[in-house]
Amino acid sequence: MAYETAAAPDLLLAPLPDLLTELECDLAGLTEADARRRLDQVGPNTLATARKSSLVAALLRQLTHPLALLLWVAAALAYATQGPVLGTAILTVIALNAAFALIQERHAEHAVAALRAYLPTHATVLRDGHHVVVDATAVVPGDLLVIEEGAAISADARIVEGAVEIDLSSINGESVPALRQLAGPGVVVGDRVIEATDVVLSGTTCTGGEATAVVAHTGMHTELGRIADLSSRTTRDSSPLERQVRRVAWLIAAVAVSVGIAFLPLGMLAGLSFRQASVFAIGLLVANVPEGLLPTITLALAVGVADLARRGGLIKRLSAVETLGSTDVICTDKTGTLTQNRMQVHSRWGPTGRSSPEAVGEAAALARALRACTTADPESHTGDPTELALLDAAERLARGHDVTLGARTGMFHFDPRLRLMTVLSAAPPTDARGGTTAYTKGAPEAVLERCVQAIRDDEPPVPLDANRRAALSARLEDLASQGLRLIACASRDLGAETPPTDRADVERDLTLLGFVALSDPVRDAVPDAVRRAHAAGITVHVITGDNGATAAAIARSAGIGADGEMNVVPGSELDAMPDQQLDALLARGDEIVFARSSPEDKLRIATRLQSLGHVVAMTGDGVNDAPALRRADIGIAMGQSGTDVAREAATMVLTDDDFATIIRAVESGRRVYDNVRKFILYIFAHAVPEVVPFLVFALSGGAIPLGLTVAQILMIDLGTETLPALAIGREAAEPGIMERPPRRRGENIITGSMLLRAWGILGGVSAVLVIGGFLWVLHAAGWTPGTDVGAGTPLHETYLRATTMAFAGIVACQVGTAMASRTDRVSLLRIGIFSNRLLVAGIAFELLVSGLAIYLPSAQSVLGTRALGWRELLVLVTFPVIVWGADESYRAVRRRAARPFVPAAR
């Protein structure tokens, strides 16, 4: 059968009857049984799995990371001066660290890849005579694909009915949509698939119109499959945060090497032998390596993304988590985001302003228009909530009236700039007059502008003079101020001649039929979410295509805007406003309702806000919202009501379409960013007590023996430090995280205040305690500076116990540092010492490993440790408390000195 392979692209260009014959199908569509049989034969409609990054290449990347290069240098020095034992130990650490980093990197990739399951791609096909929504992977050759505005096209197909505009940018890079329609007899469709005027291709999107197309190719047999086969599409860009940390890693490497090179001759001048000086250099290099820095950060970002996905927000790029933390302006839609998107008919109004069109003629005319001018499916009752509510109003109006419609002969889709849609409907068979009627529906002011008269029951229409227009406008404005959404309907008898093809010629000289007022309550969680946004220093603007009074009423009920008069900017006023004036308006910080706005307005507002230095989150759901979603720092698409085009352009997708989820995402972004900083603080603080013993040894010219061995440092960094660091990366959000200003755009993750706290407070106090404990053990045994403690001397065992005290002291200080690192501003007592169970488990593991290293005979021979007595253990118990207490005192001083953040009054 032809459809079993369907690999020849020229099949799409064959005459339509030949194509249908080759595919063994007809214009009635397939049956479900036939579709399942074909799916078994040709396989799922998917592209071949992209090649994953090479495991060898990924491992090589970990082995050549700047921090790994430091260890390579240390290993080379160890082999040259200390023999194979230490050198092999360092090489083992390099291998283990690379393996650990690789595992975490792969885990992070899988965590992000798993989110794709939240965004299934679907297609509408005609099967068994009915429109059926199926997973795109189940589309087979011979299926009749139903294409509508906003739909992503899932297979290569030939149009058999209708006309659509297609965005081909994913195939040919052209940004201007191309018209694709059923070709008439004798029309040349082109000699290349991409040029054929009646062919639609997989991977493209419909930006307007409706059509039905027969599927010819699926999966790797499509044009997109051919492109995918020629090139790899698996490139992964590093996030700004990762690039920042990588620069820091190179800085650490440069500092460590420079200090090592500088102190090597200085140590020898101070009286150290070359062997002793090389030990110092090796220790310095090893102590400066924060193992697992990059992969742990990547994992923390991935965990934050996965956590947010479970709460309704799908982040498509890891880097977006960072941006969310600094968002200071949210531009939101109204319907469905602030409101429940559950439109209900509030009231119906006749064309002359009566509260309900009770007259038979008026009610029937309005019901007929509402039935005709819709994109919802009245049989399956599926479609846009507003359309469904209007159909419900039509059914109520139609009771007892004849509202029979003829066949639909044409349609002008809703235009966001015109704020209108029009349907051409043939006269019903019972109407002997025949001809075509145009039914128009849209924003009241847009419809009224094109109306010349209003229907009157069983009487000739009345002209819409200035007085009637003014009365209607006042009534509509009063309804809109109550937060109601208003829809106007009109019609025009086009006669029996061929209808005009120009939209403007159709949508003129209309007869007003009436209005419908709809209510859409604010979501329950929105007012609290808006309050939290304000407390976090975030400004919320509303950008909507709705009436200004309606949008302002909804915004006020959500808590957006000033307590007094709402600042409403209509689209017409915005169009006439120069950029300088718009910048001045936005710079005031007032929350604004941009009403009757077009997608171009959204794009312009986002651009001007960014030019003022703001980090902008923008919501959208339509095809034309894609440019603004791409322009914004965080483009947010609706997962339920949004189009495939909007979801593809967005950085984040809301599975519940709820504004409150955006605020949760901002909080999650702040939390993840904070946790990355806490992890870096924890890692940096440990470098000081590890480096200081080597500096004391070198600067004393060997008079004070080396307080720590390289093997012990490796044990600390690999065996005791890792799990607490990972647990800190999953710390809960700090109290008050949404009561502080957004992070400034471009702010470095590593700041001067962080380094002061890491190296000066946590690291400095730890270093004093570690050196103090080391010297205390030596001094208690009668040691004085310059006394030989080498092997075979009376004090050698005491020296080994002293180094063990330093080793255990660093571990004890790590416990205090871990607790201190959990908060940046508030006291740890406020959140609870044991609230992070992962950290408690990590500390327990750290202490267990340290105990084995100190008391296990086999570990003692490798690490040079000795058992500690109860006096040393009692002293060690105080170390965590002292480190944590010093940091608590420092942060208390900072809190008292800091000026409280006061959000702008709303």
Side-chain angles (χ1 to χ4, degrees):
M1 295 182 181
Y3 64 79
E4 287 189 47
T5 55
D10 55 3
L11 179 64
L12 272 171
L13 304 179
L16 187 57
D18 295 346
L19 175 63
L20 296 176
T21 300
E22 286 291 320
L23 294 172
E24 301 179 9
C25 65
D26 55 36
L27 299 184
L30 303 176
T31 64
E32 279 291 345
D34 192 12
R36 285 195 296 270
R37 187 163 52 251
R38 294 182 183 220
L39 184 62
D40 290 337
Q41 292 170 334
V42 302
N45 177 31
T46 57
L47 298 179
T49 303
R51 293 188 299 272
K52 293 184 178 180
S53 57
S54 166
L55 186 64
V56 174
L59 182 59
L60 184 63
R61 187 169 62 250
Q62 298 298 338
L63 294 175
T64 56
H65 186 272
L67 301 181
L69 293 177
L70 278 181
L71 292 178
W72 284 110
V73 173
L77 283 172
Y79 271 111
T81 63
Q82 306 297 314
V85 176
L86 182 57
T88 303
I90 296 176
L91 290 180
T92 302
V93 171
I94 295 173
L96 290 175
N97 190 49
F100 177 71
L102 187 62
I103 291 170
Q104 290 195 77
E105 182 181 283
R106 292 289 173 167
H107 176 69
E109 289 177 358
H110 295 160
V112 177
L115 298 182
R116 296 179 188 139
Y118 288 89
L119 292 172
T121 303
H122 294 85
T124 303
V125 296
L126 186 65
R127 290 186 182 169
D128 292 322
H130 301 287
H131 287 182
V132 181
V133 178
V134 300
D135 194 280
T137 59
V139 173
V140 295
D143 259 327
L144 277 185
L145 198 63
V146 179
I147 305 171
E148 298 175 333
E149 179 181 351
I153 297 170
S154 54
D156 288 1
R158 182 82 165 271
I159 292 178
V160 296
E161 181 183 9
V164 287
E165 286 189 329
I166 299 296
D167 178 3
L168 293 168
S169 59
S170 61
I171 301 294
N172 62 4
E174 294 292 335
S175 59
V176 179
L179 178 65
R180 294 290 183 262
Q181 59 187 342
L182 175 63
V187 175
V188 178
V189 298
D191 57 0
R192 295 177 63 230
V193 168
I194 200 168
E195 296 173 350
T197 58
D198 63 348
V199 167
V200 293
L201 301 176
S202 175
T204 62
T205 51
C206 173
T207 60
E210 293 180 343
T212 305
V214 60
V215 174
H217 303 310
T218 60
M220 291 301 291
H221 297 305
T222 63
E223 184 72 8
L224 187 64
R226 184 186 67 82
I227 295 172
D229 191 48
L230 293 175
S231 61
S232 171
R233 302 186 300 167
T234 58
T235 56
R236 174 184 175 272
D237 293 331
S238 299
S239 73
L241 175 60
E242 291 172 310
R243 289 194 293 270
Q244 272 194 52
V245 174
R246 189 172 290 111
R247 286 195 296 268
V248 171
W250 278 110
L251 177 62
I252 292 172
V255 169
V257 171
S258 300
V259 172
I261 293 174
F263 270 91
L264 192 62
L266 289 177
M268 295 178 68
L269 289 175
L272 296 177
S273 66
F274 176 75
R275 180 182 175 86
Q276 290 174 319
S278 64
V279 170
F280 161 74
I282 293 171
L284 191 65
L285 291 175
V286 172
N288 272 285
V289 177
E291 285 86 352
L293 182 63
L294 280 178
T296 303
I297 288 174
T298 304
L299 183 62
L301 292 173
V303 168
V305 168
D307 177 65
L308 187 56
R310 290 189 290 270
R311 302 169 67 188
L314 309 181
I315 302 294
K316 295 164 64 176
R317 294 196 307 269
L318 284 181
S319 58
V321 179
E322 308 163 42
T323 311
L324 279 166
S326 56
T327 298
D328 63 344
V329 174
I330 298 175
C331 297
T332 179
D333 289 327
K334 176 182 70 67
T335 304
T337 308
L338 297 178
T339 64
Q340 297 177 15
N341 204 15
R342 294 179 181 174
M343 285 292 181
Q344 299 174 344
V345 176
H346 177 272
S347 55
R348 298 175 296 276
W349 299 78
T352 54
R354 290 195 296 268
S355 62
S356 182
E358 299 297 340
V360 173
E362 293 180 4
L366 183 56
R368 196 175 293 114
L370 291 172
R371 273 188 170 182
C373 203
T374 185
T375 57
D377 186 345
E379 295 183 2
S380 63
H381 209 66
T382 57
D384 180 81
T386 301
E387 298 290 333
L388 293 175
L390 293 174
L391 283 179
D392 180 64
E395 293 305 314
R396 296 184 184 184
L397 286 167
R399 290 171 185 166
H401 308 320
D402 180 15
V403 292
T404 305
L405 289 167
R408 180 182 290 185
T409 60
M411 181 169 69
F412 296 100
H413 285 272
F414 179 78
D415 187 313
R417 292 195 65 83
L418 298 176
R419 306 193 302 283
L420 298 170
M421 74 170 291
T422 296
V423 167
L424 304 181
S425 179
T430 55
D431 190 342
R433 295 175 300 172
T436 301
T437 300
Y439 292 100
T440 298
K441 179 182 72 180
E445 59 267 35
V447 174
L448 275 174
E449 183 182 328
R450 291 164 174 80
C451 288
V452 296
Q453 57 188 8
I455 192 174
R456 187 166 55 176
D457 189 54
D458 297 329
E459 294 183 29
V462 296
L464 283 178
D465 55 24
N467 290 334
R468 287 194 175 93
R469 288 181 185 275
L472 281 173
S473 297
R475 167 62 66 184
L476 294 172
E477 193 68 22
D478 178 61
L479 291 171
S481 66
Q482 301 173 35
L484 300 174
R485 184 178 183 187
L486 303 172
I487 303 292
C489 293
S491 67
R492 180 185 170 198
D493 185 1
L494 298 175
E497 297 182 0
T498 302
T501 57
D502 184 27
R503 180 169 191 161
D505 289 338
V506 174
E507 295 172 340
R508 64 178 177 85
D509 300 333
L510 302 177
T511 299
L512 182 65
L513 303 179
F515 308 89
V516 176
L518 302 168
S519 62
D520 186 10
V522 170
R523 290 177 181 267
D524 294 339
V526 165
D528 181 64
V530 170
R531 180 194 60 75
R532 297 184 68 213
H534 290 163
I538 298 173
T539 301
V540 182
H541 298 306
V542 178
I543 306 179
T544 177
D546 212 338
N547 174 274
T550 301
I554 294 295
R556 276 193 295 268
S557 62
I560 299 172
D563 294 334
E565 186 176 350
M566 177 69 69
N567 193 352
V568 179
V569 178
S572 56
E573 183 180 325
L574 182 63
D575 289 341
M577 189 180 296
D579 285 346
Q580 294 85 347
Q581 186 178 348
L582 178 57
D583 288 351
L585 178 64
L586 294 170
R588 283 162 43 187
D590 296 337
E591 292 183 325
I592 305 169
V593 171
F594 294 94
R596 297 303 188 200
S597 299
S598 67
E600 291 80 3
D601 293 334
K602 275 191 169 185
L603 178 61
R604 184 186 176 201
I605 292 167
T607 302
R608 300 320 306 166
L609 283 167
Q610 288 173 323
S611 71
L612 294 172
H614 294 289
V615 178
V616 181
M618 173 77 71
T619 71
D621 56 8
V623 174
N624 291 332
D625 288 332
L629 294 176
R630 288 193 181 99
R631 168 71 68 181
D633 298 281
I634 295 289
I636 304 173
M638 303 299 109
Q640 295 179 350
S641 61
T643 60
D644 292 331
V645 178
R647 287 194 286 266
E648 182 64 27
T651 311
M652 174 180 171
V653 179
L654 301 182
T655 59
D656 54 7
D657 292 8
D658 192 346
F659 177 84
T661 303
I662 302 176
I663 305 305
R664 288 196 293 269
V666 171
E667 180 179 6
S668 182
R670 291 188 177 190
R671 172 199 170 192
V672 169
Y673 192 85
D674 279 1
N675 286 349
V676 170
R677 287 173 54 89
K678 292 170 184 177
F679 166 78
I680 295 175
L681 173 73
Y682 174 76
I683 291 294
F684 276 26
H686 297 160
V688 179
E690 291 178 0
V691 168
V692 165
F694 290 89
L695 293 178
V696 171
F697 167 67
L699 295 177
S700 69
I704 298 177
L706 190 60
L708 201 64
T709 67
V710 174
Q712 289 169 354
I713 290 178
L714 295 177
M715 185 63 192
I716 292 169
D717 291 349
L718 191 67
T720 68
E721 183 178 82
T722 305
L723 289 183
L726 291 175
I728 290 172
R730 300 194 181 193
E731 185 71 37
E734 190 170 331
I737 195 173
M738 293 297 285
E739 297 172 5
R740 65 187 195 220
R743 178 170 52 88
R744 296 189 307 275
R745 180 191 287 270
E747 177 183 312
N748 290 326
I749 191 168
I750 297 174
T751 61
S753 60
M754 175 195 282
L755 295 180
L756 171 62
R757 189 179 168 201
W759 292 341
I761 306 300
L762 294 170
V765 172
S766 297
V768 169
L769 292 174
V770 168
I771 289 295
F774 171 72
L775 294 177
W776 170 64
V777 172
L778 283 178
H779 181 73
W783 170 88
T784 56
T787 304
D788 186 7
V789 294
T793 64
L795 289 176
H796 182 64
E797 284 298 313
T798 300
Y799 167 70
L800 293 179
R801 197 168 74 255
T803 61
T804 305
M805 183 67 179
F807 165 78
I810 290 179
V811 173
C813 290
Q814 279 183 336
V815 175
T817 300
M819 288 298 179
S821 300
R822 292 180 56 194
T823 63
D824 183 52
R825 290 170 171 79
V826 304
S827 169
L828 178 62
L829 298 176
R830 184 175 171 186
I831 65 174
I833 296 176
F834 302 106
S835 57
N836 187 336
R837 295 182 180 179
L838 285 175
L839 181 58
V840 173
I843 290 173
F845 176 80
E846 179 179 27
L847 296 177
L848 174 62
V849 170
S850 302
L852 294 175
I854 293 172
Y855 293 102
L856 199 64
S858 57
Q860 290 176 349
S861 62
V862 174
L863 300 174
T865 55
R866 291 296 183 268
L868 297 177
W870 65 268
R871 288 194 308 164
E872 289 91 348
L873 294 178
L874 286 177
V875 171
L876 288 171
V877 168
T878 65
F879 283 16
V881 179
I882 294 172
V883 172
W884 168 65
D887 186 73
E888 278 283 327
S889 300
Y890 168 71
R891 283 184 289 115
V893 172
R894 277 179 52 198
R895 286 194 298 271
R896 285 194 293 269
R899 289 182 298 176
F901 169 62
V902 180
R906 301 296 179 190

